Amino acid sequence: RVHGGKKSKKKILWKERMEREYDYVILGAGNSAGYAAREFVNKGITPNSVAIIGEEAVAPYERPALSKGYLLGKAKLPGFHTCAAEGSTHDAEWYKTNNIDLFLSTQITQADVKTKTLTATNGDVFKAKKALVIATGCRPIVLSRSPGHDLDGICYLRNLSDGEKLLEKIGSAKSCVMIGGGYIGMECSAALISRGVAVTMVFPETHMMARLFTPALAEFYENEFKEKGVKFVKGLVSSEFVGENGRVTGCKLSNGEVIPGDIVCIGVGAIPNSSLFDNQLENAPRPPGGIKVDSMFETSEKGVYAIGDVCGFPLLKYNRIERTEHVTHARLSAKHVVNVLTGNPSEYNYLPHFYSRVFDRSWKFWGDAVGDVHIIGDFKPVLIALWVKDGKIMGSFMESGSDDDNNVIKSFANDQPSVDVSKLSSAKNLDDIKAALVV
């Protein structure tokens, strides 16, 4: 059954409070929930034993598609519902067919982890008999203290509604100020400039994607962006949004300069949606923050689990607590927790993975970005970067690699082989890197 959503227009003047019980209740209807649903179906769940509750009006979808395809006009629903990235698209009808109760446009305002119950704004109560799974993800950091923050034309990108708003603004905009130089900044800027909107990127760091890229690595991509027409303002932050007649016309920077823009798009990070469970569940220390879980995603309360962006989990490979805002972890953690809940418990042994696509470029990273960075290649189109610490490869990066080459690069980060740094320094390609490994 599917409840709520965009097609739900029935006006209810009065209703009796409903109390619903399920074996498993998943709070949040994003990437993790969609992949957990498929895993439950693959395990052969009994009808109506799983409920998914989400605030959005549509069934779970692949969020990366918003910046990588939707803004470019190359992706539309139902084409990127989960689990499209793995070959199957599940719209609301799929949940009905597979006996999963999907509650859309439903906001939960109260939670009791001791009883594993959730209460919605309309008074309906959902109780999990076996396990409550928190998959609430993150929300964007909103610059609500900046003067002019509520002007029309200021946009964020986290969900479909944000994407629809931004896409509408793009139609009439000639220029955009992009605040932030990370994932959202890079991918949105690439999408907007590709659609004929002039873009100026503003960020406080010395180079884009500073959490991963070194200055030398970033330079390759910045040059590509400049060739496409993107302008950069580095080392500064926005202090105020300016406008006329309630509509944004630009952004005032910390040095007093005003950058004009018909729209301002903001991507300065995200915070976990965990406040509903404050003072009920233990949080991971900051950084990374989020709801603290063990290696099977169980929280400090037995029978309550957290997956995806919202949780701080043990990164066993590097012996630390991590909170990862990436779709790979969202998918894998969802599959893992369902295995745990259905009698196949094991520890989650995750290899960090990030990827992005901008213009005709596509890069992938695995592992830990620690140590000295060695760059191999000329970006025409292939480029490889390796993070080496104490003579071992800790992290690996590849631009424009084939599937086979990417698998080799991934194995470097996973296996952490020793490498002859002197040979690596003169390497020109992947074969030279292989020859530099110490067997």
Side-chain angles (χ1 to χ4, degrees):
R1 291 170 288 179
V2 178
H3 309 257
K6 287 188 174 182
K7 295 183 180 180
S8 179
K9 298 181 180 179
K10 184 178 179 181
K11 186 175 182 181
I12 300 176
L13 300 179
W14 179 88
K15 69 184 287 295
E16 183 179 356
R17 166 175 149 162
M18 294 287 292
E19 294 189 6
R20 298 178 169 89
E21 283 194 349
Y22 298 88
D23 288 339
Y24 308 102
V25 174
I26 302 173
L27 177 60
N31 266 101
S32 287
Y35 279 83
R38 186 187 65 174
E39 201 69 15
F40 271 122
V41 170
N42 290 343
K43 298 291 184 183
I45 57 166
T46 57
N48 306 315
S49 62
V50 175
I52 297 174
I53 307 166
E55 293 187 3
E56 291 190 71
V58 295
Y61 56 88
E62 306 278 8
R63 293 192 189 277
L66 293 175
S67 56
K68 293 177 174 67
Y70 184 77
L71 292 183
L72 289 164
K74 296 179 179 179
K76 294 182 180 180
L77 287 178
F80 60 95
H81 280 299
T82 55
C83 304
E86 296 186 1
S88 56
T89 302
H90 303 155
D91 60 9
E93 188 64 26
W94 179 89
Y95 292 83
K96 181 179 179 180
T97 301
N98 287 281
N99 298 303
I100 293 177
D101 277 9
L102 180 61
F103 294 85
L104 302 173
S105 303
T106 302
Q107 184 177 10
I108 298 298
T109 54
Q110 297 179 45
D112 185 336
V113 298
K114 296 293 184 184
T115 58
K116 296 193 284 293
T117 57
L118 305 171
T119 304
T121 50
N122 63 2
D124 284 358
V125 176
F126 302 86
K127 180 178 176 60
K129 292 184 288 184
K130 293 183 178 180
L132 170 63
V133 180
I134 303 165
T136 46
C138 288
R139 63 186 183 277
I141 294 173
V142 176
L143 302 183
S144 57
R145 295 184 180 181
S146 297
H149 67 89
D150 55 351
L151 289 167
D152 183 31
I154 294 178
C155 303
Y156 296 82
L157 185 64
R158 184 67 188 180
N159 56 37
L160 183 63
S161 178
D162 293 337
E164 290 172 340
K165 176 183 176 181
L166 184 52
L167 203 56
E168 177 187 352
K169 301 299 181 185
I170 291 173
S172 59
K174 294 182 179 179
S175 59
C176 171
V177 182
M178 181 69 231
I179 307 297
Y183 266 109
I184 294 297
M186 287 183 68
E187 295 184 354
C188 284
S189 293
L192 267 64
I193 201 78
S194 297
R195 300 200 65 158
V197 179
V199 177
T200 300
M201 293 183 70
V202 178
F203 47 84
E205 298 87 2
T206 59
H207 58 278
M208 62 163 46
M209 203 67 188
R211 286 196 296 175
L212 176 63
F213 288 1
T214 64
L217 184 55
E219 186 177 2
F220 287 100
Y221 292 91
E222 290 182 6
N223 288 339
E224 182 106 343
F225 273 67
K226 290 175 184 176
E227 289 174 5
K228 300 291 185 181
V230 176
K231 297 179 181 178
F232 289 93
V233 177
K234 304 177 185 179
L236 296 172
V237 296
S238 63
S239 62
E240 180 181 348
F241 303 111
V242 297
E244 295 178 1
N245 302 318
R247 183 172 180 81
V248 72
T249 58
C251 177
K252 186 175 183 180
L253 305 182
S254 49
N255 66 349
E257 180 184 1
V258 175
I259 306 295
D262 299 324
I263 54 177
V264 175
C265 187
I266 301 169
V268 292
I271 52 178
N273 287 318
S274 58
S275 59
L276 191 63
F277 302 95
D278 285 351
N279 303 315
Q280 294 193 72
L281 298 175
E282 184 179 350
N283 286 324
R286 295 184 180 179
I291 297 172
K292 185 178 180 181
V293 297
D294 62 19
S295 58
M296 297 186 195
F297 295 104
E298 191 166 30
T299 69
S300 54
E301 183 65 39
K302 186 174 177 59
V304 178
Y305 297 77
I307 57 176
D309 295 4
V310 76
C311 71
F313 64 96
L315 190 56
L316 300 180
K317 196 170 190 66
Y318 306 116
N319 192 31
R320 66 172 185 256
I321 302 297
E322 188 88 347
R323 190 178 67 79
T324 298
E325 296 171 15
H326 197 268
V327 68
T328 301
H329 166 63
R331 295 166 183 155
L332 292 178
S333 62
K335 298 173 187 177
H336 194 91
V337 80
V338 173
N339 279 324
V340 170
L341 296 176
T342 54
N344 295 290
S346 64
E347 291 189 311
Y348 184 63
N349 193 9
Y350 179 66
L351 178 67
H353 173 51
F354 304 98
Y355 71 89
S356 184
R357 294 193 300 271
V358 292
F359 307 123
D360 58 351
R361 297 288 181 178
S362 177
W363 61 259
K364 296 182 178 182
F365 170 85
W366 289 272
D368 203 13
V370 295
D372 298 325
V373 181
H374 299 259
I375 296 177
I376 299 98
D378 56 9
F379 208 57
K380 297 179 181 179
V382 175
L383 187 76
I384 298 170
L386 300 176
W387 282 254
V388 179
K389 183 179 180 182
D390 298 329
K392 293 185 176 182
I393 297 176
M394 302 298 294
S396 55
F397 172 102
M398 190 165 198
E399 165 64 51
S400 300
S402 66
D403 288 345
D404 288 343
D405 288 348
N406 276 317
N407 285 333
V408 173
I409 290 293
K410 177 182 179 180
S411 73
F412 291 161
N414 188 61
D415 301 340
Q416 299 178 5
S418 296
V419 63
D420 186 326
V421 174
S422 62
K423 291 182 180 179
L424 187 62
S425 299
S426 60
K428 302 296 184 183
N429 51 46
L430 188 53
D431 286 336
D432 289 346
I433 295 172
K434 293 176 182 178
L437 300 181
V438 178
V439 180

